[in-house]
Amino acid sequence: MTSLLSGKNIVVMGVANNRSIAWGITQSLHNAGANLIFTYRQERSKQKLNKLLDKHGIEPRMVVPCDAEDDQSIEQAFQKIGEEAGIIHGLVHSIAFANAEELQGEYADTSRDGYLLAQNISAYSLVAVTREARKYMTEGGSIVTQTYIGAERVVPNYNVMGAAKAALEASVRYLAEDVGKDDIRVNAVSAGPLRTLSAKGIAGFNDKVSAVEEKAPLRRQVDQDQVGDVNLFLLSELARGVTGEVLHVDAGFHTVA
Ligand code: NDP
Ligand code: KAL
């Protein structure tokens, strides 16, 4: 797999620490020879990222701040990336946020502000990022975002994020239609539960893991590497015929009743 992405400039958004899905993706992309550009929101994430890169001997092409809630920040980040890297070949969107108090109890109690916040950061950000990245994807390219089965089915506590991921998955299809004209593909990976910082302290996470181990055809959880490798596939030429797709990396859990 060493040469799958050699010489390709790939932007990775959403590494918070070593457990992040985006960090699993980073390792797959690095092993495939990609030049990696990172964006982060919090200073703490930047520090963790720099330490991880150092520890794993990965030399980043650039590390750029980008707040996915802010159009100007997105515009500036991609302008900087475009000016320095020239061409962007791929983009990984691995960003989501909802207020913790909206991730419990009844979905019917979701506030207007909480709903809009989750949609803004978790779904609209893909639209804004695609628009900016597209300007520099002059040789075609591939965009991959991360979703969860809570978009398709009712998963207790996922609530407002379920609505945000449903919007994200629909956006994948509409964006794929728009940017397909420029030979850019847009897909989503729907991962099984992974114990990340986002999942920490949220009620019901352990139940989701047990359900996968019990019910999924493969009868085991997925790990960061498996999710990373499917992102790699979608970013590579191997997936040149795939766009507007939601690909499950969940040990088959979504297929069983
Ligand atoms: P992490 O907590 O590791 O990553 C979440 C990332 O979102 C952080 O890097 C955080 O950056 C970033 N983020 C949040 N708000 C913003 C913002 N306004 N601007 C820029 N970045 C922002 O969790 P995961 O790796 O689990 O999450 C990554 C993606 O994977 C999410 O879309 C999630 O919904 C999805 N997913 C996760 C699953 C799981 O089981 N963990 C399963 C299926 C999908 P910072 O900390 O710097 O603010
Ligand atoms: C049914 C599951 C159990 C958990 C329920 C909801 C999970 C929602 C994900 C959402 C992204 C979590 C948050 O926004 C957490 C946030 O309120 C507090 N955390 C933070 O601010 C940390 C510090 C930063 C890094 O987090 C973010 N996001 O910026 C779903 C499970 C089984 C699968 C998961 C976790 C899916 C998913 O989408 O992440």
Side-chain angles (χ1 to χ4, degrees):
M1 287 201 279
T2 338
S3 60
L4 267 181
L5 292 180
S6 74
K8 303 290 182 195
N9 299 330
I10 313 279
V11 181
V12 178
M13 312 180 78
V15 178
N17 62 21
N18 64 319
R19 287 174 178 262
S20 293
I21 290 181
W23 179 249
I25 299 169
T26 295
Q27 292 178 90
S28 295
L29 302 185
H30 172 70
N31 292 336
N35 303 322
L36 296 171
I37 297 156
F38 296 90
T39 76
Y40 65 93
R41 175 173 63 164
Q42 300 189 65
E43 246 351 86
R44 187 190 56 184
S45 303
K46 180 172 114 176
Q47 284 164 13
K48 295 240 171 181
L49 171 66
N50 280 330
K51 270 197 186 145
L52 281 169
L53 291 169
D54 213 34
K55 187 174 153 195
H56 288 79
I58 301 174
E59 182 79 44
R61 185 81 190 261
M62 293 173 79
V63 180
V64 184
C66 181
D67 182 350
E69 226 180 323
D70 176 351
D71 284 335
Q72 226 190 335
S73 170
I74 296 174
E75 232 178 275
Q76 280 170 3
F78 280 89
Q79 205 177 343
K80 213 168 158 200
I81 293 167
E83 275 166 13
E84 277 189 50
I87 295 174
I88 299 174
H89 300 100
L91 176 99
V92 175
H93 176 275
S94 189
I95 288 172
F97 190 90
N99 285 325
E101 58 268 27
E102 315 263 7
L103 300 169
Q104 57 189 324
E106 292 197 358
Y107 175 62
D109 289 331
T110 304
S111 68
R112 189 178 297 273
D113 282 352
Y115 182 91
L116 293 174
L117 178 72
Q119 290 281 341
N120 190 5
I121 300 182
S122 317
Y124 182 74
S125 63
L126 181 71
V127 181
V129 157
T130 298
R131 190 169 55 237
E132 294 309 315
R134 177 190 199 179
K135 296 178 183 167
Y136 305 98
M137 290 184 142
T138 48
E139 294 182 350
S142 173
I143 296 172
V144 186
T145 187
Q146 315 306 312
T147 187
Y148 180 63
I149 196 175
E152 304 164 64
R153 308 218 203 128
V154 175
V155 177
N157 300 325
Y158 203 62
N159 296 3
V160 69
M161 275 304 301
K165 292 298 192 190
L168 181 74
E169 292 183 12
S171 294
V172 162
R173 294 183 282 271
Y174 281 93
L175 291 169
E177 160 60 18
D178 290 342
V179 301
K181 300 190 270 292
D182 301 333
D183 199 24
I184 300 168
R185 299 179 290 104
V186 187
N187 293 289
V189 170
S190 186
L194 285 160
R195 203 175 296 281
T196 60
L197 190 54
S198 281
K200 209 172 168 179
I202 288 174
F205 180 84
N206 290 340
D207 302 345
K208 310 296 179 291
V209 174
S210 321
V212 171
E213 286 172 348
E214 192 187 316
K215 282 189 169 178
L218 292 175
R219 291 168 179 79
R220 52 174 161 80
Q221 318 174 43
V222 289
D223 62 28
Q224 242 183 353
D225 292 2
Q226 293 161 18
V227 178
D229 283 350
V230 173
N231 274 265
L232 162 61
F233 160 69
L234 288 170
L235 287 162
S236 80
E237 278 299 292
L238 294 176
R240 62 195 175 279
V242 183
T243 196
E245 183 69 295
V246 177
L247 184 43
H248 294 81
V249 186
D250 65 349
F253 182 76
H254 70 288
T255 64
V256 296

